[in-house]
Amino acid sequence: MDELEHETPHRPAQSRRSLVPAFVIAAIATAGGIVLGLVIPWFPPAADTQAKSIDTLYYVLIIVTVPVFVLVETVVLFAVVKFRMRPGEEMLDGPPIHGNTRLEIIWTAAPSAIIAALVVYAAVVLRHIEHQPAGEIQVQVYAQQFAWSFAYPPAAPGAKAIVSSDLYLVKDRPVRFRVHSSDVLHGFWIPAFRLQIDAVPGTTQSFRATPKRMGDYDIVCTELCGLGHSVMRSTAHVVTPAAYTAFLASRGAASALPAAAGPGALAAMGKRVFTSTGGCGACHTLADAQTTGSIGPDLNKYLKGKSEAFIRTSIVNPNAYVEKGFGANIMPANFGTTLSKDELGAVVKYLANVTAK
């Protein structure tokens, strides 16, 4: 009797009827969340054949995860509202309840089954998009702070591979990207292709794509790789077979100057390398090229009075001279290989001339 007299009083238990409004709100929120998730244009227009399977997987994840999220949040909010402590209830315990074995089995088995089904479905999608089609070509992707470069198969046995800072692909021609990093972790992502993979130092990663829509598509780095991460961008050009062949031919021709090339041709090549081929203008300010990059030094000031030898070394070995206020390893160190001998000589001559004025 004494124990009963001193038993801590409890708040009354909630009736099951009080759950009805919560379930109604949860059902409305679930339907609204699914509809909203399906109508929002999350991605740019699909540009390869793999994108459809990936988009479908994404929408399946929305349909499955929105109800789970809403259910959890409904339980949390219901508990906050119904079981919150009110004035005068500071000394009360919650209502005496016992465990529900059936409910515990359900909330353990159901999520496990959902996760297992999603894992199997994702594996099927991955296997599908990684299927090797006939006629596949390989493009080597090289990541380095803070630039991308792409090497294409040589046109003939024994010929030198063509390297470009932009990516050119043929519509409906399957391609396998082999991704490398020469310094830190990068992420190679083409949003219109829905495909992304990390570039990991010391290893080669790969994925496949088959472009299906002609156009120009962004290439971005998805891993924070240093100060210039935000400008580590390039463009994927999906073109016709004829345009692709013309690109390869132009790269081979544009990388070399005629033997009798005059100062005008040399200056034009140097400016082209600075503004497009090398992508220097994204990081540097140069009045003659009308670029305003700020990741690297202002070349109007930094190169004024400098010799061609100094400029050449600054390009092929950028850590040899590090301007005050800028850190090492900001500028890519691969221009000695991605630029031809004539391109390098032209841009050196161009920079020396325009900064001497």
Side-chain angles (χ1 to χ4, degrees):
M1 181 64 70
D2 291 341
E3 292 180 0
L4 293 176
E5 291 177 353
H6 292 88
E7 183 180 359
T8 304
H10 299 86
R11 285 183 291 177
Q14 296 291 327
S15 67
R16 293 186 178 182
R17 185 174 298 177
S18 64
L19 295 173
V20 174
F23 280 118
V24 172
I25 295 173
I28 295 174
T30 297
I34 292 175
V35 171
L36 190 63
L38 295 180
V39 300
I40 291 177
W42 299 102
F43 308 110
D48 71 344
T49 57
Q50 286 78 5
K52 182 177 180 180
S53 298
I54 297 172
D55 287 351
T56 302
L57 172 60
Y58 183 79
Y59 294 134
V60 168
L61 290 174
I62 287 179
I63 293 171
V64 173
T65 57
V66 166
V68 174
F69 173 79
V70 171
L71 175 63
V72 172
E73 293 304 313
T74 299
V75 171
V76 171
L77 294 176
F78 178 82
V80 168
V81 173
K82 293 296 183 180
F83 299 110
R84 72 186 187 279
M85 184 185 70
R86 295 172 176 80
E89 296 181 342
E90 290 82 357
M91 302 303 296
L92 297 182
D93 276 348
I97 58 175
H98 299 282
N100 188 316
T101 302
R102 179 183 298 175
L103 183 59
E104 291 178 3
I105 292 174
I106 291 174
W107 74 40
T108 301
S112 300
I114 292 173
I115 293 173
L118 291 177
V119 167
V120 171
Y121 177 47
V124 171
V125 172
L126 180 61
R127 181 178 177 84
H128 170 70
I129 65 177
E130 277 296 300
H131 172 71
Q132 181 177 358
E136 179 181 83
I137 63 171
Q138 291 196 18
V139 174
Q140 307 294 329
V141 180
Y142 298 98
Q144 185 173 11
Q145 296 172 313
F146 298 98
W148 299 103
S149 55
F150 307 94
Y152 304 87
K160 184 179 179 181
I162 291 177
V163 180
S164 170
S165 58
D166 278 358
L167 175 62
Y168 280 80
L169 303 170
V170 180
K171 180 178 179 292
D172 298 324
R173 180 77 180 273
V175 58
R176 183 184 184 189
F177 298 103
R178 295 179 60 83
V179 185
H180 318 264
S181 173
S182 59
D183 41 38
V184 300
L185 192 68
H186 300 277
F188 179 62
W189 184 37
I190 307 176
F193 288 5
R194 310 292 194 267
L195 296 168
Q196 184 271 338
I197 200 166
D198 285 345
V200 182
T203 66
T204 299
Q205 310 292 327
S206 67
F207 68 80
R208 292 181 165 92
T210 303
K212 70 172 185 178
R213 184 193 300 268
M214 289 193 293
D216 299 334
Y217 305 100
D218 290 335
I219 300 172
V220 299
C221 178
T222 57
E223 296 286 349
L224 183 59
C225 55
L227 182 61
H229 166 70
S230 62
V231 298
M232 190 170 173
R233 291 175 173 265
S234 187
T235 303
H237 307 276
V238 179
V239 298
T240 62
Y244 180 75
T245 302
F247 156 72
L248 295 180
S250 67
R251 283 296 298 161
S255 63
L257 282 168
L266 190 67
M269 173 180 271
K271 187 171 184 178
R272 176 183 59 78
V273 171
F274 184 87
T275 56
S276 59
T277 306
C280 313
C283 295
H284 295 284
T285 292
L286 184 65
D288 184 81
Q290 298 181 341
T291 60
T292 57
S294 59
I295 298 298
D298 182 339
L299 299 186
N300 299 295
K301 302 175 182 178
Y302 177 60
L303 296 184
K304 191 172 183 62
K306 297 295 194 302
S307 67
E308 290 186 15
F310 176 89
I311 296 174
R312 179 182 295 271
T313 301
S314 296
I315 294 174
V316 299
N317 184 18
N319 288 335
Y321 310 108
V322 179
E323 178 72 351
K324 185 178 180 180
F326 296 89
N329 301 315
I330 293 179
M331 179 174 168
N334 63 343
F335 288 120
T337 56
T338 60
L339 299 180
S340 70
K341 181 180 178 180
D342 283 347
E343 286 176 325
L344 180 59
V347 75
V348 167
K349 181 71 72 173
Y350 167 72
L351 291 173
N353 288 339
V354 299
T355 57
K357 299 176 181 179

